[in-house]
Amino acid sequence: MSSLPSSSRGRGRRIKVLVAKMGLDGHDRGAKVVARALRDAGFEVIYTGLRQTPEQVAYAAVQEDVDVVGVSLLSGAHFPLMRRLIAKLKELGAEDIPVVLGGTIPVIDVEPLKKMGVREVFLPGTSLKEIIETIRRLAEERRARGETLAVSASRERGQGD
Amino acid sequence: MQLAINRVMGVLSPSVATLIEEARRGSIRAIGRILTLLEEPDQTSLSILQHIYRYSRGAQVIGVTGIPGAGKSTLVGKIIGEFRRRGYRVAVVAIDPSSPLTRGSLMGDRLRMQEHATDPGVFIRSLPTRGLKGGLSVAALAAIEAFDAFGYDKIIVETVGVGQSEVDVMHAAHTIVVVTMPGAGDDIQALKAGVMEIGDIYVVNKSDKPEARQTYEYLSFALEKEEVGREAPGWTPRLLKTSAVMGQGIKELVDTIEEHHRFIHKTGLAAKKVVERRALLAKLIVESIIARYVDEAFGGLVERIVKAIEGNEPLPNIVMEALREAAKRLYEDVRSGTDGGSKANIPGCS
Ligand SMILES: Nc1nc2c(ncn2[C@@H]2O[C@H](COP(=O)(O)OP(=O)(O)O)[C@@H](O)[C@H]2O)c(=O)[nH]1
Ligand SMILES: [Mg+2]
């Protein structure tokens, strides 16, 4: 037993996206519309529901090993929430997972958010097509860079019990 | 599809070996990556499985099945909480039915368990019913092996229990919990046809609804008449009531799951199940690899087959030609691999 045909790993694996709703408001219609559109575009979409904390989103992204995290935010608390999400992903050794943000984000906040590490901000009125294509591009770029296998466990804290 | 030959099988690449070490130390990032690598059978996934089998700690695999909407995911969320209170580390494989009408999948089981997302003793992974290239059952059974190796004591697998691959997955479970709900008259008939024979434990969920009593009585009658339930000498299928949203009956359910765990250990069924599960995984892997050759043979043959059908060629001839083509490719790859291949050389394994 020494030989096997190699699979076409990577080339065919579906793009996996986590769609999460953070903040305290109870509106997830927008997030659900995007989630369904991504599914219809052929993605594997994991939807985690309303009122997620940044930590819950980060853990879910890492456990599910998604290609992209898409956050929807209406509450206005996007700076602290996104900062916590990006910090937690980094702590879990997953800073290579791109994070995108949609919702009611003022134009003026886009650049500071990008500086903070948010890869793309979808302003109100962005078409579903554009969202889909951007997520596809980010996922493909990440896979093309070669998915980093070795992660640094030392960065993780509080694992196991 | 490319079928490049990998001569050396069973050798872990350094990065994969590191990943396994990190997963064993509890890195959820590493475990998440490994689960992705295990989704499709190939050289890497086989070498990972080969390597991690030795770390198995005999986790209890609990299948939770039943019709969509019965409350399985909500109930699993509560079971996780109760297991955690009892000090167990818990992993979940949530198999979400994909819509047959779309190309992708939208998985929402997880959202009913998200309260446990940040608990380092809980790991939840979703799998779609369709769209995995090596098949759902390979990915699910391999995930079970990984969770067993990486220190989870209880592995819960949620499925709707229809379709061959989901039945395969249920066969890997030590303990099967069938969940139903009140007012599901027709659904009970449907369940009887599918999963009603396989349960060790039956649960009428949504018992906060008044109609639950009737469903309970019906099921209790069916169980008495042995119309439902899995045959195992020494274990009579149990019937319980829960309300997942109210958190009622959860303790009793987990007590019963634990009781079944003790039963299968006492009788030696637990260890037997692990062997059966791995044998099933091996068979499914072989099937999936053979399917690749069939796909490739057919890919190259499609035009000829179309012509043959148009020309009214006998079907047996067409099938024979395709088979010959697939077998030839398979044989050539297997032979050249055997001739030039070296022995498996897995670090840490003499
Ligand atoms: N009344 C009541 N509703 C419940 C109960 N458990 C779950 N549900 C609801 O039933 C629906 C389906 O639940 P879900 O866990 O997704 O079911 P699944 O499809 O079997 O996984 C959701 O709206 C739940 O809130 C329960 O014990 N009582
Ligand atoms: Mg469910």
Side-chain angles (χ1 to χ4, degrees):
Chain A
M1 183 179 73
S2 56
S3 134
L4 271 182
S6 73
S7 72
S8 41
R9 178 192 304 290
R11 281 194 297 147
R13 191 155 57 80
R14 281 180 175 173
I15 292 170
K16 208 168 167 185
V17 185
L18 183 85
V19 174
K21 184 75 186 57
M22 294 200 302
L24 296 175
D25 64 281
H27 305 285
D28 65 347
R29 187 152 359 128
K32 279 181 172 164
V33 167
V34 171
R36 275 194 285 267
L38 292 169
R39 174 199 65 187
D40 293 346
F43 296 178
E44 257 179 50
V45 183
I46 293 149
Y47 182 62
T48 52
L50 286 166
R51 299 190 185 89
Q52 295 289 295
T53 66
E55 290 73 22
Q56 283 176 309
V57 176
Y59 272 91
V62 171
Q63 290 175 7
E64 300 285 359
D65 192 23
V66 295
D67 295 295
V68 177
V69 176
V71 176
S72 165
L73 252 174
L74 301 174
S75 65
H78 40 275
F79 280 114
L81 290 173
M82 296 311 276
R83 189 175 292 118
R84 265 165 67 192
L85 171 60
I86 285 163
K88 192 69 197 182
L89 281 171
K90 191 166 182 200
E91 188 190 317
L92 294 173
E95 62 264 55
D96 59 309
I97 301 179
V99 176
V100 298
L101 173 64
T104 50
I105 314 295
V107 186
I108 192 173
D109 291 348
V110 173
E111 277 317 308
L113 282 165
K114 284 192 170 173
K115 275 214 185 74
M116 190 192 282
V118 177
R119 291 294 299 279
E120 203 60 66
V121 179
F122 302 118
L123 295 170
T126 310
S127 71
L128 286 172
K129 189 163 168 274
E130 195 183 329
I131 295 174
I132 291 166
E133 287 321 311
T134 305
I135 289 178
R136 193 194 305 281
R137 176 173 55 78
L138 288 171
E140 279 166 3
E141 277 171 16
R142 176 166 167 271
R143 286 190 185 182
R145 274 198 306 274
E147 297 165 277
T148 37
L149 282 178
V151 298
S152 168
S154 60
R155 265 198 306 262
E156 293 188 41
R157 280 187 290 276
Q159 298 308 306
D161 47 333
Chain B
M1 182 176 50
Q2 266 180 359
L3 295 176
I5 306 292
N6 293 302
R7 289 182 181 278
V8 187
M9 215 294 293
V11 178
L12 287 176
S13 74
S15 60
V16 174
T18 312
L19 208 54
I20 292 176
E21 274 323 300
E22 291 179 352
R24 297 216 329 127
R25 286 200 298 265
S27 158
I28 63 161
R29 178 65 169 150
I31 297 171
R33 298 297 295 143
I34 286 172
L35 293 176
T36 303
L37 293 173
L38 290 177
E39 275 177 4
E40 195 185 335
D42 64 2
Q43 182 183 344
T44 306
S45 72
L46 291 196
S47 63
I48 293 173
L49 287 170
Q50 159 68 26
H51 189 81
I52 65 175
Y53 274 175
R54 77 196 69 174
Y55 302 130
S56 164
R57 286 167 58 250
Q60 182 183 16
V61 181
I62 302 148
V64 175
T65 188
I67 49 170
K72 297 180 295 298
S73 301
T74 316
L75 195 58
V76 169
K78 295 293 152 124
I79 296 172
I80 296 173
E82 184 58 30
F83 273 145
R84 291 296 291 147
R85 272 188 285 282
R86 298 182 188 198
Y88 296 114
R89 305 184 78 225
V90 187
V92 176
V93 182
I95 300 172
D96 230 316
S98 315
S99 158
L101 297 175
T102 52
R103 295 203 298 130
S105 47
L106 179 51
M107 300 183 275
D109 281 342
R110 190 187 174 96
L111 95 100
R112 308 208 186 274
M113 312 170 194
Q114 263 303 86
E115 58 175 299
H116 302 291
T118 56
D119 179 344
V122 176
F123 196 114
I124 301 163
R125 179 77 168 209
S126 314
L127 287 177
T129 45
R130 294 161 0 107
L132 289 163
K133 291 181 97 200
L136 161 68
S137 14
V138 168
L141 294 188
I144 290 172
E145 295 298 342
F147 286 134
D148 190 6
F150 299 139
Y152 292 90
D153 307 297
K154 305 287 178 186
I155 303 168
I156 305 174
V157 186
E158 176 187 338
T159 83
V160 292
V162 290
Q164 185 54 47
S165 36
E166 293 194 52
V167 172
D168 281 342
V169 173
M170 276 298 123
H171 276 298
H174 291 109
T175 304
I176 298 183
V177 179
V178 177
V179 184
T180 185
M181 63 172 171
D186 293 342
D187 295 326
I188 289 198
Q189 291 307 317
L191 268 180
K192 265 172 84 171
V195 294
M196 272 309 195
E197 304 92 41
I198 63 168
D200 302 302
I201 300 165
Y202 289 83
V203 173
V204 178
N205 188 40
K206 307 198 184 181
S207 62
D208 48 287
K209 295 190 172 188
E211 316 91 85
R213 240 182 81 187
Q214 209 185 331
T215 311
Y216 184 89
E217 276 161 18
Y218 172 89
L219 261 178
S220 135
F221 181 70
L223 275 170
E224 243 163 62
K225 289 205 329 187
E226 293 174 23
E227 280 181 356
V228 299
R230 161 152 87 165
E231 269 179 53
W235 180 265
T236 317
R238 305 296 158 82
L239 177 62
L240 296 162
K241 270 187 257 191
T242 59
S243 169
V245 287
M246 313 285 282
Q248 283 162 358
I250 308 299
K251 262 203 175 119
E252 292 76 4
L253 172 57
V254 170
D255 283 343
T256 312
I257 292 172
E258 293 265 67
E259 190 190 333
H260 191 255
H261 187 54
R262 286 191 296 275
F263 163 73
I264 58 171
H265 269 277
K266 212 173 54 206
T267 52
L269 288 171
K272 216 177 119 202
K273 199 75 207 175
V274 174
V275 175
E276 278 176 24
R277 174 178 96 196
R278 291 179 177 179
L280 177 60
L281 179 55
K283 171 182 165 263
L284 292 168
I285 288 170
V286 171
E287 279 178 8
S288 145
I289 291 168
I290 289 178
R292 276 181 220 159
Y293 283 92
V294 173
D295 278 352
E296 209 209 19
F298 267 86
L301 282 174
V302 167
E303 266 171 42
R304 250 189 301 165
I305 293 175
V306 170
K307 281 220 175 70
I309 301 267
E310 281 171 350
N312 283 322
E313 257 187 62
L315 182 60
N317 294 5
I318 299 172
V319 171
M320 273 309 289
E321 188 186 349
L323 272 180
R324 221 174 273 127
E325 186 63 32
K328 202 177 79 196
R329 288 162 195 260
L330 175 58
Y331 179 72
E332 275 165 14
D333 279 0
V334 169
R335 206 185 44 155
S336 63
T338 313
D339 290 349
S342 55
K343 279 266 162 59
N345 176 23
I346 300 164
C349 176
S350 53

